[in-house]
Amino acid sequence: QVQLVESGGGLVQAGGSLRLSCAASGDIFLISTMAWYRQASGKQRDLVASITRGGSTNYANSVKGRFTISRDNAKNTVYLQMNSLKPEDTAVYYCNMDHFGPSHSGSSYWGKGTLVTVSS
């Protein structure tokens, strides 16, 4: 199995920055797509950004130009640099990774989430 642990969440004022990290551990063979999702209180969980193993990125319209996703394959880690934060960015941020084992079977894994609170 694969375990994901997020870090870097916290309190920040509007206009500030935070950098989230998510490291995978366990029985890792190959991780394809890595992604960040977020879920605000009373809302559904939505994709924030994703990145393929080759480095292709995808962002939600609400964060384009402000957030940057990156990865370090050697460390099995994905990052989310968040700049110009707004109160509406307040949410629990979840790490997600698609993992493939030696048999080519694939599974999606989730972290437990890290809270980001942006004050006005």
Side-chain angles (χ1 to χ4, degrees), residues 15-37:
S17 299
L18 282 175
R19 188 187 190 224
L20 306 183
S21 299
C22 176
S25 62
D27 190 13
I28 299 172
F29 185 72
L30 186 144
I31 299 173
S32 56
T33 301
M34 297 179 173
W36 288 96
Y37 289 73

Side-chain angles (χ1 to χ4, degrees), residues 21-114:
S21 299
C22 176
S25 62
D27 190 13
I28 299 172
F29 185 72
L30 186 144
I31 299 173
S32 56
T33 301
M34 297 179 173
W36 288 96
Y37 289 73
R38 68 185 181 187
Q39 186 170 22
S41 179
K43 306 296 183 181
Q44 69 178 30
R45 186 178 300 185
D46 293 325
L47 177 69
V48 176
S50 65
I51 183 168
T52 68
R53 188 169 181 85
S56 296
T57 58
N58 182 28
Y59 296 93
N61 288 333
S62 59
V63 307
K64 287 181 179 177
R66 299 188 298 121
F67 291 9
T68 302
I69 189 170
S70 61
R71 63 189 287 168
D72 186 333
N73 291 330
K75 297 180 179 179
N76 294 315
T77 299
V78 62
Y79 307 93
L80 185 67
Q81 178 66 47
M82 305 185 293
N83 298 326
S84 301
L85 283 162
K86 305 174 181 179
E88 50 262 45
D89 294 318
T90 296
V92 176
Y93 284 71
Y94 296 90
C95 175
N96 174 263
M97 298 187 187
D98 294 328
H99 176 260
F100 287 84
S103 65
H104 294 184
S105 61
S107 297
S108 183
Y109 292 89
W110 293 88
K112 294 182 179 180
T114 184

